[in-house]
Amino acid sequence: MATPSEKIIRDVTARLRAAGMRPTRQRIALALALFAKGDRHITAEQLHAEAQAQHVGISLATVYNTLHQFTRAGLLRELAIGSGRSYFDTNLSHHHHFFYEGSGQLVDVAGDLVKVSTVPAPPKGTRVAGIDVVIRITERNR
Amino acid sequence: MATPSEKIIRDVTARLRAAGMRPTRQRIALALALFAKGDRHITAEQLHAEAQAQHVGISLATVYNTLHQFTRAGLLRELAIGSGRSYFDTNLSHHHHFFYEGSGQLVDVAGDLVKVSTVPAPPKGTRVAGIDVVIRITERNR
DNA sequence: TTTCTAGATTAGAAACATTCTAAAATATTG
DNA sequence: CAATATTTTAGAATGTTTCTAATCTAGAAA
Ligand SMILES: [Mn+2]
Ligand SMILES: [Mn+2]
Ligand SMILES: [Zn+2]
Ligand SMILES: [Zn+2]
């Protein structure tokens, strides 16, 4: 990846400040990695490896801290699908997922391609925070 | 829980044999714990604790082995919802789940109470293995 | 610019769920 | 009962995530 332009860095910096976070070298690098490309589903380890490849020294602890802060700030969604690791999703629009059972890979499904036409009322004293549809898919054999 | 009747133990024994498993003391105890009560969502740790409480000595490794064997035999479904631990579901019918965001608790939603009326075609070379709908719910405030 | 300090980063330890290993125990068959 | 294939098990190992407490730094104040 080419070095980001001054403008892009200023944008990211402003976005971090707007979310109440100091624009540190680490947060700027992670924000650029996360938001420069299109929609992504990435784990902490993967993002850490990507930063290392770019010769940005960031500890794994900071990657975790930052991913959670970004999630709290509404810049990311955390996905807990297919036990094991957490994925962080840069796609904030209403959408669902294909889940590759073999690899654990996630692929977006636009929200309007899935219609959940009937849902039961939530139990007393609770409200619906969201509805997640996961379409599990496997390699077709034969 | 009262000691299970001879008949129930014979039933479980036959069920294990039918699935190609030797009816060991450990498997019988776990099968009784899992299938005696109604539908359950239970983790390996929880089931292990339940067995200990019943003074059935079973190692945690055996609980994991057995849960996976039961799953392979179609006696259980493994649920990977809400990262962290796996839940094993004794409800084999087509159904979905309420997921309590606070506690991680799962509650069944009968399959026919949820209608997913539109789904996209799976990517080339794959087939749909299943569709899981998770209704995330939170304590209602105010 | 220098100083100050709340906030941020970090290495490494700890926590936690799960899987692995290989030795001992057991169920089943002959 | 003897033989053996299967099962169980303690404990180590693995993989992910969180915690701790020492160090560092961004931003504000002087
Ligand atoms: Mn998390
Ligand atoms: Mn599993
Ligand atoms: Zn997504
Ligand atoms: Zn269920």
Side-chain angles (χ1 to χ4, degrees):
Chain A
M1 185 178 61
T3 305
S5 71
E6 282 299 320
K7 165 158 178 22
I8 291 185
I9 291 179
R10 276 201 313 280
D11 285 359
V12 163
T13 299
R15 207 164 171 196
L16 289 172
R17 261 197 247 278
M21 285 177 269
R22 289 185 181 176
T24 62
R25 174 178 65 78
Q26 291 86 340
R27 286 180 180 146
I28 290 171
L30 294 179
L32 289 172
L34 287 168
F35 306 121
K37 304 181 194 178
D39 298 333
R40 312 193 67 181
H41 303 96
I42 197 168
T43 67
E45 284 283 1
Q46 283 167 359
L47 184 58
H48 184 241
E50 212 168 280
Q52 303 306 141
Q54 235 102 124
H55 305 98
V56 181
I58 308 186
S59 76
L60 185 56
T62 297
V63 173
Y64 274 104
N65 289 342
T66 303
L67 286 170
H68 285 136
Q69 288 156 356
F70 284 10
T71 300
R72 246 183 289 124
L75 303 175
L76 290 177
R77 280 171 56 188
E78 184 170 358
L79 302 179
I81 297 174
S83 196
R85 67 204 71 187
S86 269
Y87 281 88
F88 291 86
D89 194 342
T90 62
N91 182 349
L92 299 176
S93 73
H94 163 65
H95 71 285
H96 299 290
H97 295 96
F98 284 123
F99 174 70
Y100 282 78
E101 293 201 315
S103 63
Q105 188 194 176
L106 292 170
V107 174
D108 282 345
V109 174
D112 58 7
L113 294 184
V114 175
K115 190 158 292 165
V116 181
S117 50
T118 308
V119 267
K124 276 248 152 45
T126 69
R127 65 178 178 78
V128 175
I131 298 179
D132 297 333
V133 177
V134 176
I135 305 170
R136 285 180 287 107
I137 58 181
T138 4
E139 251 30 68
R140 178 155 37 204
N141 42 355
R142 168 182 46 270
Chain B
M1 186 176 59
T3 305
S5 72
E6 282 299 323
K7 163 155 177 26
I8 289 185
I9 291 179
R10 276 202 313 281
D11 285 358
V12 162
T13 298
R15 206 163 173 198
L16 289 173
R17 263 198 245 280
M21 283 176 272
R22 288 184 181 176
T24 62
R25 174 178 65 77
Q26 292 87 339
R27 285 180 181 146
I28 290 170
L30 294 179
L32 289 172
L34 286 167
F35 306 120
K37 304 182 193 175
D39 298 333
R40 312 193 67 182
H41 303 95
I42 197 169
T43 66
E45 283 284 0
Q46 284 168 358
L47 184 58
H48 184 243
E50 212 167 282
Q52 303 308 140
Q54 234 102 124
H55 304 97
V56 181
I58 308 186
S59 75
L60 185 56
T62 296
V63 174
Y64 274 104
N65 289 342
T66 303
L67 285 171
H68 285 135
Q69 288 156 358
F70 284 10
T71 300
R72 245 181 291 124
L75 304 174
L76 290 176
R77 279 171 56 188
E78 184 170 359
L79 302 178
I81 297 174
S83 193
R85 66 204 70 193
S86 270
Y87 282 87
F88 292 86
D89 194 343
T90 62
N91 180 350
L92 299 176
S93 74
H94 163 66
H95 71 284
H96 300 288
H97 295 95
F98 283 123
F99 174 71
Y100 282 78
E101 293 202 315
S103 63
Q105 188 194 175
L106 292 171
V107 174
D108 282 344
V109 174
D112 58 6
L113 294 183
V114 174
K115 189 158 294 165
V116 181
S117 49
T118 307
V119 268
K124 275 246 153 46
T126 69
R127 64 179 180 75
V128 174
I131 298 178
D132 298 333
V133 178
V134 176
I135 305 169
R136 286 180 285 107
I137 58 181
T138 1
E139 249 32 68
R140 177 154 39 204
N141 43 355
R142 166 184 49 270

